[in-house]
Amino acid sequence: MARIPPDHGSYYDRIAAHHVLPLWVDTGKYVPMAPSPPYEPALWKYSEIRPLLFEAGEVISAEEAGRRVLVLQNPALSGFDGTTRSLYACLQLIMPGEQAPEHRHTQSAMRLVLEGDGAFTTVDGDRVEMEAGDFIITPSWSWHGHVHEGETPMVWLDGLDNGLMAQLDTTFFEPGSPAQPHEDSGGKKQGSRLLRYPYCKARENLDILRKVTEPDACHGYRMEYLDPSDGGPAMSTMTTALMLLDQGFDGDSYQCTDGTIFVALEGEGETTMGERNFAWKRHDVFVVPSWCPHAHRATTDAVLFSFSDRIVQQKLGVWREARGG
Ligand SMILES: [Fe+2]
């Protein structure tokens, strides 16, 4: 039991003048018994955000914007504090003939193509094709730009670890000039990580999983994207996964310490987060906060893509999960 000085009001004022705080006051607020994230469950309907994104396509070019991107800001956070505290989920639009100039940054980025085709991303000069559903990686500090040679607008989801890098004060950024892309590398960066995971192959693997295993009670059929060169996670700061839910799936409650962003790639359903239900359909994006009990239900066969900072928490030895309850 801490001994409080008799004239503690004055004491607190006096130590505050020295930029010193008493840890025994409001300890529970700063060292809670369980995660108490300052952001909340949220869902962005693609049918509502898409027209706003295309409106930006009329008033600002990709060259002017650098990147024509809308950040999905958590309603409980402000400014560019993110979708979770560690991650940004964004929607990016690139119009036919446009080019987003090259740059690089310490934030790792992933793309998940939602609609359109004919664009490619360059990663350290390698050309990486982009088709609907593809999962594409831009590793930390790799040069990258986007070029659209197709006929229709393209939209993809960007996932970035901006909040994590900001918290660690490790953000560096360097603009570059557009470079002539190399030949198509097939998404395989020479001597390095796989950069492109085509959706057609991932979807086939989900179907195989459905044939040979029983669904998990919380996650249905779930696969994580891995780096085939070492069997580790596809990205160094984000765990990325695909889940297939059978029509009628009614999942058990689950909670984990990694706040997770989900994108519906196929089908319809709803997810209960805490006391609230969030109905989702194709291309909707929703966020489940850290340690928030949640359960998925599917009204049709459905595929959910997800990303979170789980791999970072696992590397630090602090990741937890719980089922049921
Ligand atoms: Fe970037």
Side-chain angles (χ1 to χ4, degrees), residues 110-111 133-137 195-197 225 234-235 240 305:
M110 50 136 281
R111 333 277 166 202
D134 288 359
F135 164 58
I136 289 146
I137 296 169
L195 300 177
R196 177 187 178 208
Y197 294 73
Y225 287 95
M235 299 183 72
T240 50
F305 175 91

Side-chain angles (χ1 to χ4, degrees), residues 67 103 105 144:
R67 300 286 190 270
H103 65 207
H105 37 68
H144 56 282

Side-chain angles (χ1 to χ4, degrees), residues 42 45 65 86 90-91 109 126 136 151-152 154-155 172 181 186-187 197 219-220 222 236 247 317:
K45 287 185 185 298
S86 60
C90 315
L91 291 174
D126 283 342
I136 289 146
E151 304 294 324
T152 57
M154 270 192 87
V155 179
F172 288 89
Y197 294 73
H219 311 302
R222 183 178 183 275
S236 60
Q247 181 176 12

Side-chain angles (χ1 to χ4, degrees), residues 67 92 101-105 107-109 111 138 142-146 158 160 173:
R67 300 286 190 270
Q92 179 159 178
E102 296 230 347
H103 65 207
R104 63 178 175 175
H105 37 68
Q107 292 97 334
S108 299
R111 333 277 166 202
T138 306
S142 55
W143 289 104
H144 56 282
H146 313 300
D158 287 316
L160 296 120
F173 176 87

